[in-house]
Amino acid sequence: MKLQEICDILCADVIVRFDPDAEAITACGSDLISDILRFIKSETVLLTGLPTLQMIKAAQLLDLNAIVVVRGKQPTKDVIEIAKNNKIPVLCTKLPLFEACGRLYAKGLQGCSEYTAQGDEHRAE
Amino acid sequence: MPNSLTYSFAVEAGDFNKGGDAAGKIKKILKLAGLPSTVIRRAAIIAYEAEMNIVIHSVGGALRLNLNPERVELIAKDSGPGITDVSLAMQEGYSTASDEIRALGFGAGMGLPNIRHNADHFAIESQVGVGTTLEVYIDVNVS
């Protein structure tokens, strides 16, 4: 999914600009850095309500495609500066995390989970 | 690449501004060395978690990278206070982080499990009142 489409679906403001052709294959929503480090895949956009310096550093380490800040929160100037310097696009939406993730998922953007048919069979037992 | 390269990074306790910088530098070094992206990603995650463990839980320490054609080795050593129950600390979801630390996005209880998950070799030794030493490596040619 193109980042522009993500931006439109979430009615998001662009805080750090992105390439018009940039896109993401998966998305992950979390406010816990170690969970992000464990479960996130490449070509991913992160949705979080915690736009901290450490979150940007984690995004940089994982080569994330973009960060979407939810719940109407605004990153501080130093966080924006570091995101710019590291070419990490940042979007801000007023939507809460669950709703933002739900909208993207409903439009076809997949999650990072490997919970697929096998998991469903397990659940049905 | 020379046979072996070693880099050391001091890590200050409680410094959340500089915390993660050593991991960023290690990632750059591994990129410049031309290692596979999967190895770089795993090493970066290990380095970050080890570095932030020192920032959050210790009184200070250091992170060392040993790089040779076969392995990416990371050693994190701190000066205490040590881990009371290492097997408990290895459990996913277990964390002793304070509410203040959790508010910064840490305390998922996944730090050491993430390190073990990404390492081909994992060893940890901790002594209460003395400190903790973590030694891990990634086999470059297996990943």
Side-chain angles (χ1 to χ4, degrees), chain A residues 30-79:
Chain A
S30 179
D31 289 347
L32 287 169
I33 293 171
S34 284
D35 277 356
I36 291 162
L37 292 169
R38 177 62 170 269
F39 297 112
I40 220 159
K41 293 178 177 171
S42 56
E43 305 294 315
T44 293
V45 57
L46 168 68
L47 294 93
T48 183
L50 202 69
T52 61
L53 184 60
Q54 286 300 327
M55 198 61 86
I56 296 290
K57 288 185 182 183
Q60 187 190 348
L61 285 177
L62 294 168
D63 293 323
L64 295 188
N65 290 30
I67 292 180
V68 177
V69 182
V70 298
R71 301 196 285 269
K73 296 193 175 180
Q74 294 291 323
T76 57
K77 280 183 183 173
D78 58 336
V79 167

Side-chain angles (χ1 to χ4, degrees), chain B residues 26-37:
Chain B
I26 286 170
K27 184 188 172 191
K28 280 182 186 167
I29 290 167
L30 299 181
K31 253 186 163 178
L32 283 171
L35 293 178
S37 59

